[in-house]
Amino acid sequence: MYNKPGILVVSFGTSHQDTRARTITAIEQAIQDAHPSLPVFRAWTSGMIRRKLERTTGEVIQSVAQALSQMADQGITQAILQPTHIIDGIENQQMQADANAFRNIFQKIAFGRPLLSSSEDLEKMAQILEHTFSGLGPEEHLILMGHGSQHPSNQIYAWLDDCFHQQEHNHIHVATVEASPTLDDVLQKLRTQPVRRIHLAPLMIVAGDHAVNDMAGDGEDSWKSTLERAGYPVTCHLKGLGEYPQVRQMFLAHLAKALECLKR
């Protein structure tokens, strides 16, 4: 039983066990290592993935409401939720709504911010990715695949794209699977530039279904296939953002600010 704060790490989830270990689990472990005296719990927002995992592996992962109920049962009196979401979109706001239903159960509830929540976050992310892909040769371009959302916070992806170009990294582009900017938007820009090779990498916490299939898959609608039909040689990098130590540090910084809120 705990009479202290508890941390709930909230992720969308993934059924890809290999990338999960390197991303979601690595973030959870980094948080536990940074706060060894606090209990750390896990929740996933995707009911579809939770049900698939239970059906295929037998593992049961809790929803936000289930995890908060467990925390309360164990005597946690102050809950800090740290999402591993990229933006403050639909999944993140549903997490907040689910947690706010517990306001009368916990003394305090605080939220850490998603990964990209400020201009400072965008600059840090741009620096991380610029450094990671600093070895690209002349006329080699990088396209980052974001998920995209119909939520207004989707504009974060366009802002990150602008951030690269403002820093004169005009060979790095951001596109999304389900919103804007799109791959077609990037292709329009590339047609006016000399391009020797295109590199693709996920702008997602895990290199899951979108990265493996929609980005790097051999299907005719994948980004890789689309770009190859347009005449570009393509190299795919299946590394989720959660694998980057610097990204995990960004989440730790957001969590630290949430913990400060509990002291007010």
Side-chain angles (χ1 to χ4, degrees):
M1 298 291 288
Y2 303 99
N3 185 20
K4 63 171 68 173
I7 300 170
L8 178 57
V9 184
V10 181
S11 303
F12 180 80
T14 180
S15 59
H16 291 253
Q17 298 287 17
D18 52 349
T19 191
R20 171 185 170 184
R22 299 191 300 269
T23 55
I24 294 174
T25 303
I27 294 168
E28 293 169 345
Q29 189 60 55
I31 288 173
Q32 183 66 84
D33 291 345
H35 302 280
S37 66
L38 298 180
V40 176
F41 299 80
R42 170 192 299 133
W44 288 5
T45 58
S46 174
M48 181 183 68
I49 293 178
R50 294 199 314 272
R51 290 188 295 273
K52 178 180 179 180
L53 211 58
E54 184 173 6
R55 184 177 67 252
T56 57
T57 71
E59 182 180 10
V60 177
I61 295 180
Q62 296 177 317
S63 66
V64 171
Q66 290 169 336
L68 288 171
S69 293
Q70 180 190 5
M71 292 169 71
D73 289 344
Q74 293 189 15
I76 300 294
T77 57
Q78 301 177 42
I80 307 97
L81 288 81
Q82 177 56 56
T84 67
H85 303 142
I86 301 289
I87 63 174
D88 184 19
I90 296 169
E91 294 291 326
N92 200 68
Q93 297 202 346
Q94 184 60 57
M95 174 202 74
Q96 293 175 341
D98 291 343
N100 284 330
F102 287 77
R103 287 285 181 186
N104 62 337
I105 295 176
F106 293 97
Q107 293 175 6
K108 289 185 179 180
I109 295 177
F111 299 99
R113 297 179 308 180
L115 183 63
L116 302 180
S117 300
S118 67
S119 58
E120 180 183 0
D121 292 338
L122 291 172
E123 290 171 3
K124 285 182 179 179
M125 181 55 59
Q127 291 169 2
I128 291 168
L129 293 168
E130 289 162 10
H131 177 74
T132 300
F133 291 95
S134 60
L136 297 187
E139 300 179 4
E140 290 189 301
H141 289 248
L142 169 66
I143 304 176
L144 298 163
M145 173 189 267
H147 186 277
S149 171
Q150 298 308 310
H151 192 274
S153 62
N154 184 77
Q155 62 189 335
I156 288 286
Y157 293 108
W159 291 348
L160 180 60
D161 188 70
D162 288 341
C163 193
F164 285 118
H165 299 161
Q166 287 169 6
Q167 297 179 18
E168 298 185 355
H169 294 284
N170 295 319
H171 63 294
I172 302 179
H173 316 272
V174 177
T176 65
V177 182
E178 297 188 1
S180 63
T182 66
L183 179 62
D184 283 342
D185 293 331
V186 176
L187 276 170
Q188 290 293 333
K189 298 178 184 178
L190 293 179
R191 291 189 180 104
T192 65
Q193 304 178 43
V195 179
R196 184 165 59 88
R197 176 169 293 275
I198 293 177
H199 295 257
L200 295 175
L203 187 66
M204 303 175 184
I205 296 301
V206 302
D209 282 336
H210 282 304
V212 172
N213 298 314
D214 297 328
M215 187 186 82
D218 292 326
E220 64 177 16
D221 293 331
S222 75
W223 285 18
K224 174 177 173 286
S225 297
T226 299
L227 290 165
E228 287 176 340
R229 282 198 304 274
Y232 300 111
V234 178
T235 299
C236 297
H237 304 265
L238 292 173
K239 181 177 180 179
L241 294 180
E243 297 187 47
Y244 295 80
Q246 307 97 314
V247 169
R248 298 197 288 271
Q249 286 299 317
M250 290 176 67
F251 282 123
L252 288 175
H254 291 333
L255 175 59
K257 291 184 178 180
L259 286 165
E260 283 295 320
C261 291
L262 295 183
K263 300 175 183 179
R264 298 173 186 169

